Amino acid sequence: CCRLFANPVEQNGTLTGAVLIIMDVTEQERREALRREFAANVSHELKTPLTSILGTAEILRDGLVRPEDVTHFAGNIHREARRLIDLVNDIIRLSRLDEGGAVGQWESISLRQVAQSVMEQLRPAAEQKKVAMALEGDCGLVRGVPQIVEEIIYNLCDNAIAYNREGGSVILTLSQVEGGQRLSVADTGIGIPREAQNRVFERFYRVDKSHSSGGTGLGLSIVKHGAAYLGARVELVSELGKGSSFTLTFPCGNTDC
Ligand code: ADP
């Protein structure tokens, strides 16, 4: 945890003492290790779609694809390029939150309005998966940065649809609780094993790669960092095979309660 430096003090060539410096480098080293791990993960996550784009472009260039299959292969390139853009955008979002820099103005926000707007944006994805979405209850206004609040709710709902079963449901519930204003997003999906419940908020952690939504692996990190930036709390309750519920609570300090 600590680094020790000993500097001898000499006077006219005679050793008269020593200065001992003890530095706690635990936090510094932890941050550095996290930074290295993140850089390695980013390189890997960028390489995967790039390798796929390159390979597909090469076989198209070399005329190895039958004309009737060109659309399919071009579609693959488009999907992988989309993944790259999503990834880069998520990395930018995360680094802005990390720096605590300019992420937008604080305003009074209606969680109901944001939830409705997110549901509208995700309607096509929900319909495609035959997942029903509903918004229940109500709560007071909260103080926050609108873009961050929307990103948090969007990522939670996006996952609730992606990791759901066909014909399942996603229920958004607003409530005013003793400690503040609350929004919960509950799904009837695959659930998250107990041992993974803390880890899902880590960058690039995925419970099961074969069940990945094709997302960036950064959605819940953005949720966690965004909530911390706003002084809000995120809690997860999940049961494997039954579903998950993420709860976002804005404490009274930054709400109208
Ligand atoms: P991804 O882009 O992979 O969805 P996230 O950071 O949003 O990345 O989520 C991390 C992982 O947590 C996902 O890969 C998935 O395994 C798990 N997860 C997130 N939300 C849910 C959910 N509602 N139901 C089941 N698993 C989930």
Side-chain angles (χ1 to χ4, degrees):
C1 76
C2 304
R3 206 164 273 164
L4 193 66
F5 300 93
N7 285 337
V9 179
E10 289 181 17
Q11 253 176 357
N12 305 326
T14 317
L15 188 67
T16 55
V19 178
L20 271 185
I21 305 168
I22 302 168
M23 275 174 74
D24 181 353
V25 288
T26 321
E27 183 55 21
Q28 203 179 325
E29 277 176 359
R30 200 185 62 85
R31 279 180 167 272
E32 183 54 27
L34 279 178
R35 198 197 56 75
R36 273 200 303 271
E37 189 190 327
F38 183 58
N41 281 335
V42 166
S43 316
H44 172 75
E45 298 283 337
L46 288 173
K47 266 191 196 157
T48 311
L50 277 172
T51 308
S52 163
I53 289 172
L54 202 62
T56 315
E58 272 168 14
I59 56 172
L60 281 170
R61 181 200 60 193
D62 297 343
L64 299 173
V65 175
R66 291 180 305 182
E68 62 267 34
D69 292 333
V70 167
T71 316
H72 170 73
F73 281 88
N76 285 351
I77 292 184
H78 184 265
R79 196 189 55 239
E80 295 301 315
R82 183 76 258 159
R83 235 166 84 111
L84 279 175
I85 292 182
D86 288 346
L87 181 61
V88 170
N89 282 337
D90 275 357
I91 291 170
I92 293 171
R93 283 190 189 106
L94 257 183
S95 70
R96 281 207 191 116
L97 286 170
D98 271 355
E99 289 158 12
V103 285
Q105 294 290 318
W106 284 70
E107 289 171 24
S108 273
I109 300 168
S110 154
L111 288 180
R112 169 164 274 276
Q113 268 176 21
V114 181
Q116 275 167 336
S117 151
V118 166
M119 285 169 70
E120 209 44 55
Q121 293 170 55
L122 287 170
R123 195 166 298 285
E127 278 170 3
Q128 198 184 2
K129 192 138 183 189
K130 299 190 175 60
V131 166
M133 291 186 90
L135 175 60
E136 295 173 353
D138 210 351
C139 69
L141 298 177
V142 301
R143 293 279 308 160
V145 179
Q147 296 94 308
I148 301 182
V149 175
E150 179 161 337
E151 268 163 27
I152 293 174
I153 300 175
Y154 185 96
N155 286 340
L156 292 178
C157 293
D158 193 30
N159 282 344
I161 296 168
Y163 299 103
N164 220 313
R165 56 181 166 78
E166 220 178 87
S169 65
V170 175
I171 312 286
L172 283 74
T173 308
L174 297 164
S175 56
Q176 190 150 357
V177 291
E178 203 171 326
Q181 313 291 339
R182 179 169 286 176
L183 166 77
S184 72
V185 179
D187 66 61
T188 54
I190 60 174
I192 301 171
R194 187 172 294 276
E195 64 280 8
Q197 289 179 11
N198 274 329
R199 302 210 60 196
V200 289
F201 294 96
E202 289 172 17
R203 292 161 195 213
F204 297 119
Y205 180 85
R206 295 172 176 108
V207 175
D208 179 353
K209 286 213 186 260
S210 63
H211 268 121
S212 170
S213 62
T216 62
L218 293 175
L220 288 181
S221 291
I222 293 175
V223 166
K224 181 181 138 188
H225 282 76
Y229 185 91
L230 300 174
R233 209 171 57 241
V234 187
E235 280 144 317
L236 162 64
V237 178
S238 184
E239 200 175 330
L240 205 56
K242 291 221 166 134
S244 309
S245 172
F246 289 84
T247 304
L248 178 69
T249 308
F250 288 80
C252 281
N254 63 352
T255 65
D256 290 358
C257 34

